[in-house]
Amino acid sequence: MIPTLSWTPEGVRFIDQTRLPLEESYVVATTYEQVADVIVTMVVRGAPAIGVSAAYGVALGAQHSESESAERFAPEFDKICARLAGTRPTAVNLFWAIDRMKKLFADLRSKGASMAEVKERILAEAHAMYDEDIAACKTMGAFGGALLPDEGGVLTHCNAGALATCGYGTALGVIRSAVEQGKQIHVYADETRPFLQGARLTAWELTADGIPTTVICDNMAASLMRAGKIKAVVVGADRIAANGDFANKIGTYNVAILAKEHGIPFYCAAPWSTIDMETSTGDAIPIEERNQVEVTHHGGKQLTPHGVGICNPAFDVTPAKYVSAIITERGVLRAPYAESLREMEMAAQ
Ligand code: MRU
């Protein structure tokens, strides 16, 4: 399995996703501040991976604390959580993971737990999130794999794979599962300008698995759909609002419109930790604006003239009306999503 991130005695070890596919190298974050930095610089990226990384960041912060009691550790804990929460705004998994740690710590504090117990329980919680993430990917993969055609092209955008999770992937987990079910899938991977998660990361992990993959430039999808080469689209999500609108990598919305126009099913695969029932529609999802250099330069080389205007929103919102199904570890949801999401949320309580 691709070692996206792992806990080691030295700290959290990450495969450096900024260097893939040409170089397979690793970065070890030994402090929570370094975990925050690897999230901001996208050494680690992808909503579920960011969430679990932040959880391990909190665990690192606790491990290094010299506080003698949970009470004394409390202001430090708040500072650690605030730093990690300030890294990337769109993927709700980050806030979900930090909130889960906050609830645990509040509980431990109210029970007068020792600092040794706080350290142990926070680390155990991060490990639990790691294991749950892989299990969720496998389960949603099985649900989603059944929806894909027995053979033909499947388009994906960005990287919602093992590299974006603790392993197996969401959208790519669906594809992996379909392949394991014996389906003859050929993946078309949008290159995903400007950070090239599709060309670099999806292509790397799928070819490593022997899954036939063709990289296309983002502007080629319509033409391939018209030629009948795409039988389904499956993408991940960074935040799914209560009405089924969802944020994902910039360009996802374009693909959704194209799929609708060509009568192609468009699936969104994500764990329940990506669903944000507090956000009523996609309009309320905060969209990260990233550094213009990601657009103006590539491989250290400038592409655009000095002084030209640049915008670089990292995500867009796809309205629920374009989504054929939302695939989660709890099951497959269909429209109207406001109802199906609410019902599934209540069933789990
Ligand atoms: O900016 P990134 O690379 O973190 O964006 C990643 C995506 O948009 C993914 O599709 C999403 O996080 C789902 S990952 C399972």
Side-chain angles (χ1 to χ4, degrees):
M1 193 141 85
I2 291 167
T4 307
L5 66 138
S6 54
W7 178 261
T8 73
E10 290 76 41
V12 194
R13 183 176 185 261
F14 298 93
I15 192 165
D16 186 345
Q17 299 194 32
T18 64
R19 294 183 180 271
L20 286 171
L22 300 180
E23 195 185 303
E24 192 176 324
S25 59
Y26 293 83
V27 171
V28 178
T30 58
T31 63
Y32 77 87
E33 289 99 333
Q34 286 176 8
V35 172
D37 287 344
V38 302
I39 295 173
V40 169
T41 56
M42 289 171 67
V43 165
V44 68
R45 29 70 47 205
I50 292 172
V52 177
S53 298
Y56 277 123
V58 176
L60 261 183
Q63 299 289 320
H64 290 178
S65 173
E66 289 175 2
S67 300
E68 283 143 19
S69 68
E71 220 41 51
R72 290 257 169 94
F73 177 55
E76 212 180 325
F77 177 83
D78 290 344
K79 192 174 153 204
I80 293 166
C81 291
R83 173 74 184 96
L84 289 160
T87 51
R88 297 193 72 191
T90 304
V92 77
N93 309 60
L94 176 73
F95 308 100
W96 167 88
I98 293 169
D99 281 353
R100 194 162 146 174
M101 287 303 193
K102 283 183 179 170
K103 282 193 190 103
L104 172 67
F105 181 61
D107 183 51
L108 290 168
R109 200 176 156 194
S110 72
K111 289 179 178 146
S114 70
M115 199 51 206
E117 195 183 342
V118 166
K119 290 181 183 189
E120 190 190 314
R121 291 284 303 280
I122 286 180
L123 180 57
E125 192 76 358
H127 286 324
M129 288 187 217
Y130 181 98
D131 292 341
E132 286 166 24
D133 184 54
I134 297 174
C137 287
K138 291 262 170 82
T139 308
M140 89 181 73
F143 284 133
L147 298 177
L148 293 190
D150 288 342
E151 56 180 16
V154 174
L155 179 71
T156 190
H157 189 75
C158 192
N159 173 268
L163 287 166
T165 60
C166 297
Y168 204 69
T170 58
L172 298 193
V174 166
I175 289 170
R176 283 193 166 94
S177 170
V179 170
E180 285 161 16
Q181 290 168 26
K183 298 186 174 184
Q184 306 289 311
I185 303 291
H186 188 107
V187 179
Y188 288 91
D190 270 349
E191 64 172 348
T192 319
R193 275 281 290 158
F195 212 72
L196 302 177
Q197 289 94 332
R200 297 186 302 104
L201 308 176
T202 294
W204 181 76
E205 65 167 88
L206 290 184
T207 49
D209 269 7
I211 298 176
T213 303
T214 299
V215 171
I216 61 169
C217 300
D218 297 334
N219 49 6
M220 295 173 185
S223 167
L224 263 72
M225 286 181 181
R226 194 169 156 82
K229 293 201 169 154
I230 311 289
K231 303 284 181 236
V233 177
V234 58
V235 297
D238 285 82
R239 189 186 295 234
I240 300 175
N243 71 341
D245 295 350
F246 74 99
N248 192 48
K249 180 53 54 193
I250 189 79
T252 303
Y253 180 29
N254 305 32
V255 178
I257 295 169
L258 295 178
K260 180 103 174 169
E261 173 65 22
H262 292 89
I264 296 167
F266 177 91
Y267 301 116
C268 170
W272 208 262
S273 52
T274 304
I275 290 162
D276 179 5
M277 298 299 276
E278 311 280 293
T279 296
S280 54
T281 74
D283 291 342
I285 299 176
I287 301 294
E288 176 183 11
E289 183 76 24
R290 289 191 62 87
N291 197 312
Q292 296 185 353
V293 171
E294 290 176 0
V295 176
T296 58
H297 287 66
H298 182 66
K301 268 189 132 180
Q302 191 169 334
L303 306 171
T304 53
H306 287 293
V308 73
I310 300 289
C311 69
N312 187 16
F315 303 96
D316 59 24
V317 171
T318 298
K321 68 174 181 180
Y322 293 106
V323 182
S324 309
I326 298 175
I327 303 160
T328 75
E329 73 277 29
R330 294 186 188 171
V332 174
L333 294 99
R334 300 278 182 178
Y337 295 106
E339 282 171 29
S340 52
L341 283 165
R342 198 178 48 241
E343 277 165 19
M344 211 172 265
E345 171 77 341
M346 276 159 65
Q349 278 166 8

